[in-house]
Amino acid sequence: ALVAGACGGDDGGGEATGQTVDRGVAEGVGAALGGPSTTAGGTATTELPDSMEAWEALADAERAAIVQMIRDNGWGKSADGTTVTGPEGFTIDLTACPPGWSDTEGLTESEIKIGHTAPLSGTAADFGNGGRALEAVLGYYSDQGVFTDAATGTTRRINLILKDDAYDSARTIPLVDELIDSEKVFAMTTTGSPTTLKVYDKLNERCIAHPLGGITGHPAWADPVNHPWTTGLQMAYSTEAVLWGAFIEQRIDEFPGEKIKIASLVTSNDYGQAYDTSFRAYLDQSVHNDRFEYVSESIEITAPTVTDPMTTLAAGEPDVFILMGGASQCTQVVHEVAQNGMRDRAQFLITNQNCKGFMTRDKVGGDGEVASGWWIMGGGVRDINSPAEDGNPYVQWARDVLTSAGIDHRTSSNFSLGIEYAFPLVQGLRIAGELDGGLTRTNLMVALRAMEMTHPMLLPGIQFNLRGNADAYFIEGSDISQYDAAGQEWVPTGGVIDLSGKSKNCAFDQSTQTCN
């Protein structure tokens, strides 16, 4: 959700980044926070099904409407096999695919082979639980026999081939090579911004379906023109950074001093940099810019502790602290803030959407009180471990699916991420199977680019859709919530903010780390 510019680095001075905040996002956030309504992007379904059977019936109806829309518009692969078309000018030039490319590689009479890389070991291993949940849901629907090819009547199971890259790009690259060259998978999914950025060019050049990007919110996945085979899913980190800035501005009168000191701990990779440069851009272009003093400290995602940089940040006695890190850092920072005095002095403590499930007492220990009062712009995603979801039929179904797969869902809220990502992949595969020609890589991408459904893992009011080249962000909305340790849940303040269709697509330039 940003265009142009370059990053100024971790110099702590808050100098201009040269970036420009996406005006559509900024205006949408401003309107939502400043007005009586918190929905800035149109209407969305708010009356949700009250049983799992009703959820499945709703999905059936929405899939049928998408299939009909695709057929009515004549989208899909051309008769001569050279071009794929979809909504709003979406096209793929199949003549650019490598010699010997097959639209059905990875499909047999009995299975659909999908590759997935994720950190199953190392300090970021908790993120790998998203892949474990994805595997469980795909297994459940395979058992239900739903992946039927209308063209042939063939019913297949999904074979998710899960590989551990430990959140290390040097391991991701050969694993992806193995999956596409030796295993010859039909599609690939990946986990992590820095790891995915190393392989998504290759996947697009090889014309291999890469649905749902890197199970991250990096804006680079919103590039249907240059990377038509890759889609994202989560709310973009750049949009989240705008929400942080707007949240602070909305409360500007609550700060007693003339200067407002904002500190952040930033993971020193593409993930952290997307947050940091976006937030700096927002502050640089704020009408209150002269009141902001922004400092940051960087840290490797593999660092065993966060004590040193957090001690340095605490010494500056910030008014606001923002965590732009992840994995084990989520809980480590909560403890450091409680111990170094920052919790008592700072007016606002903000964590990011990827840490949403790391505040429970199981994660932070004791009675969990150290996590109380933290804020989050959580991307509108439900937490399957929240007591507030105990009566939710879809969440209960997800818990049961994980339990049946031998997974204790209470051990990680990143299982929520896997459930969230499984929904569009299951729906996309089922839609593609109903299209002319049945399940193919190209039909899967058309199905995803035309998808507009009610996502059961999103809060009411958060829209879920892609519109070809016009809108490449599935989720452009969020809750703003504060953690209640007594109830062990994130409590939304007000309604959700939905910005569907507001974000500009991102032609990401890795050499400058910016969108063009």
Side-chain angles (χ1 to χ4, degrees):
L2 294 171
V3 293
C7 173
D10 289 308
D11 52 23
E15 286 82 355
T17 64
Q19 299 222 24
T20 301
V21 175
D22 186 327
R23 195 49 47 195
V25 170
E27 290 176 356
V29 169
L33 291 178
S37 171
T38 53
T39 301
T43 60
T45 300
T46 55
E47 294 184 7
L48 300 179
D50 58 4
S51 68
M52 192 58 194
E53 292 75 18
W55 270 115
E56 294 288 12
L58 176 60
D60 289 346
E62 291 180 340
R63 284 197 313 275
I66 295 167
V67 170
Q68 191 62 50
M69 176 176 62
I70 291 171
R71 287 176 173 162
D72 289 347
N73 285 279
W75 296 329
K77 188 160 64 174
S78 61
D80 62 5
T82 62
T83 307
V84 178
T85 57
E88 301 290 345
F90 177 74
T91 60
I92 302 175
D93 178 8
L94 296 180
T95 65
C97 295
W101 173 80
S102 170
D103 208 3
T104 57
E105 186 170 73
L107 300 181
T108 70
E109 287 297 307
S110 60
E111 72 174 10
I112 306 165
K113 295 174 72 173
I114 298 177
H116 181 63
T117 57
L120 304 177
S121 61
T123 57
D126 203 86
F127 287 142
N129 286 320
R132 295 176 63 205
L134 179 64
E135 184 176 38
V137 174
L138 296 178
Y140 169 87
Y141 279 107
S142 291
D143 289 343
Q144 300 299 308
V146 304
F147 301 114
T148 299
D149 194 319
T152 63
T154 302
T155 298
R156 302 182 176 97
R157 294 187 59 85
I158 292 180
N159 175 13
L160 187 71
I161 306 173
L162 193 57
K163 298 286 186 179
D164 178 18
D165 64 6
Y167 205 76
D168 180 355
S169 301
R171 293 177 60 172
T172 307
I173 295 169
L175 288 175
V176 169
D177 287 343
E178 176 187 347
L179 288 164
I180 63 179
D181 292 330
S182 298
E183 296 288 353
K184 298 189 181 301
V185 295
F186 173 75
M188 272 294 313
T189 59
T190 49
T191 300
S193 299
T195 53
T196 301
L197 283 168
K198 294 295 184 183
V199 298
Y200 86 136
D201 281 338
K202 177 186 297 182
L203 292 170
N204 278 267
E205 291 164 1
R206 297 279 296 271
C207 297
I208 296 171
H210 186 209
L212 316 177
I215 305 195
T216 76
H218 200 288
W221 320 144
D223 184 14
V225 174
N226 301 297
H227 294 87
W229 296 93
T230 297
T231 74
L233 181 66
Q234 288 173 248
M235 176 181 68
Y237 298 149
S238 43
T239 298
E240 189 178 356
V242 170
L243 283 166
W244 293 337
F247 175 86
I248 295 167
E249 284 191 318
Q250 189 186 42
R251 292 157 176 78
I252 198 124
D253 293 336
E254 298 178 26
F255 295 94
E258 179 61 28
K259 284 290 185 180
I260 301 170
K261 296 181 179 180
I262 306 171
S264 69
L265 182 68
V266 182
T267 298
S268 54
N269 60 21
D270 302 277
Y271 161 59
Q273 192 170 43
Y275 275 134
D276 186 53
T277 56
S278 302
F279 185 64
R280 286 180 185 269
Y282 188 92
L283 296 183
D284 291 339
Q285 294 157 62
S286 168
V287 295
H288 302 289
N289 173 261
D290 59 342
R291 291 194 62 187
F292 296 131
E293 180 183 327
Y294 177 54
V295 296
S296 64
E297 289 286 326
S298 63
I299 188 169
E300 295 288 339
I301 193 71
T302 55
T305 72
V306 298
T307 300
D308 287 348
M310 287 301 296
T311 300
T312 299
L313 292 172
E317 300 187 359
D319 299 299
V320 180
F321 171 76
I322 305 174
L323 174 58
M324 303 181 190
S328 60
Q329 295 166 358
C330 299
T331 50
Q332 289 177 345
V333 164
V334 170
H335 283 286
E336 289 294 334
V337 163
Q339 294 167 9
N340 63 25
M342 197 185 292
R343 185 182 183 202
D344 296 327
R345 291 191 295 264
Q347 289 182 246
F348 297 102
L349 303 170
I350 302 173
T351 192
N352 65 77
Q353 61 176 307
N354 291 319
C355 291
K356 196 168 192 177
F358 287 83
M359 295 293 183
T360 63
R361 63 172 62 98
D362 290 339
K363 291 294 184 182
V364 301
D367 61 3
E369 182 58 29
V370 292
S372 196
W374 279 76
W375 291 86
I376 196 168
M377 289 63 187
V381 182
R382 299 179 184 275
D383 180 358
I384 64 170
N385 292 323
S386 171
E389 300 293 349
D390 286 351
N392 184 313
Y394 193 88
V395 170
Q396 186 56 55
W397 167 83
R399 292 170 178 173
D400 291 344
V401 167
L402 293 175
T403 299
S404 297
I407 296 171
D408 182 355
H409 64 83
R410 296 166 297 183
T411 60
S412 171
S413 281
N414 273 315
F415 293 127
S416 301
L417 198 63
I419 301 297
E420 176 194 1
Y421 274 77
F423 177 81
L425 184 55
V426 168
Q427 305 306 324
L429 289 166
R430 295 183 71 177
I431 292 167
E434 291 293 321
L435 298 177
D436 295 343
L439 180 60
T440 61
R441 287 168 165 170
T442 53
N443 275 348
L444 174 59
M445 298 317 300
V446 171
L448 291 169
R449 296 292 179 185
M451 186 174 288
E452 181 163 6
M453 300 189 72
T454 307
H455 196 313
M457 284 297 287
L458 297 180
L459 296 172
I462 302 289
Q463 297 186 68
F464 186 75
N465 53 60
L466 289 186
R467 290 191 300 115
N469 285 358
D471 184 0
Y473 297 89
F474 261 122
I475 300 171
E476 297 175 73
S478 182
D479 57 300
I480 298 179
S481 303
Q482 190 171 24
Y483 197 71
D484 172 28
Q488 290 290 285
E489 61 180 316
W490 289 100
V491 179
T493 60
V496 299
I497 294 173
D498 187 68
L499 306 166
S500 186
K502 300 288 185 181
S503 307
K504 293 181 181 177
N505 294 344
C506 173
F508 191 69
D509 185 339
Q510 294 196 53
S511 66
T512 61
Q513 291 288 302
T514 57
C515 298
N516 296 316

